[in-house]
Amino acid sequence: MPLVAGLDPGPIPGSVKYLTPQSKPLTSGDYSTVRHPDDTMLKLLLMLSSVANVAGGLVLIATWATMWQRVPVIVLLIGAALVIQGGYTVLFLNGALDSWGDLAVGALFAGECLAACVGALGLVAGIIHNFTHADMEMAPVLAGLLMVGQAGLALVYLFERGEIIPGKIN
C-alpha cells in the first residue's frame, strides 16, 4: 500500500546492500577505491573562511599602517600570516596550483597544521589576556579564531578528498 495516494514506489529489490558508493566498507589499507565525495559545501565553507582570513588580514595590516606609532609590529605580522594563509588556500581551491602537483598539497597540509597550532595558541593567549586584564582585546582572539577555523576546515577538506591519507607513506 503506497504511503501517499497515487505514488507507488514499486518493489524494492532484495539484492540492494548499499545505498551510496560511499557506504561501501574499505578493507584495511585499500585506498585505491576512495572516491572524491561531493564536497561542494565543504569547499564553499573553506573558500568563505579563506576570504574572511584575507579580509581580516588586510584589516590588521591597514590598522598597523594607519597607526604604526601605537600599534605593535606583531599586528602587521599576524595580518600578513592571515593574508598568506587565506590567499594560498583560495589559489589551491581554484586549481591555480595544480601544476605544482603533490608539492601544493604538501605545502597546504604543512601550512595549515602550523596555522592550527599558531591559531590555537593565539586564541588561548588572547582569552587568558582578557581574563587577566581589564582592556578586553578582541582582535587577538578573533585572529586566532580565524586562523584555527580555516586551518581545521582545510585539513578536513584534504582528508575528505583523500589528498592526505593518515598512516600511509607514499
Side-chain angles (χ1 to χ4, degrees):
M1 180 160 148
L3 297 175
V4 179
L7 295 177
D8 186 14
I12 298 175
S15 62
V16 175
K17 292 183 180 177
Y18 304 107
L19 298 177
T20 64
Q22 290 83 9
S23 63
K24 292 182 182 177
L26 289 175
T27 60
S28 177
D30 181 20
Y31 294 102
S32 61
T33 59
V34 174
R35 297 177 48 181
H36 295 292
D38 185 23
D39 57 1
T40 307
M41 183 58 73
L42 183 59
K43 188 174 181 179
L44 179 67
L45 284 173
L46 182 55
M47 183 67 77
L48 182 64
S49 176
S50 300
V51 169
N53 269 17
V54 171
L58 290 176
V59 165
L60 289 176
I61 291 170
T63 300
W64 183 84
T66 58
M67 299 184 290
W68 61 271
Q69 298 90 352
R70 297 183 325 201
V71 177
V73 73
I74 191 72
V75 172
L76 174 67
L77 298 175
I78 292 171
L82 286 171
V83 169
I84 291 168
Q85 180 189 13
Y88 186 87
T89 307
V90 167
L91 290 174
F92 182 85
L93 291 175
N94 287 329
L97 305 175
D98 286 346
S99 63
W100 291 13
D102 288 339
L103 181 63
V105 175
L108 183 66
F109 177 72
E112 297 299 349
C113 286
L114 183 62
C117 293
V118 170
L121 289 175
L123 181 62
V124 168
I127 290 171
I128 289 172
H129 173 83
N130 286 343
F131 277 141
T132 58
H133 295 84
D135 61 354
M136 293 301 287
E137 288 285 336
M138 291 310 295
V141 174
L142 292 175
L145 193 60
L146 281 173
M147 200 175 284
V148 77
Q150 189 214 325
L153 283 172
L155 291 173
V156 167
Y157 179 79
L158 288 175
F159 285 120
E160 185 70 25
R161 291 198 35 99
E163 301 279 350
I164 304 292
I165 299 171
K168 182 179 179 193
I169 299 175
N170 293 348

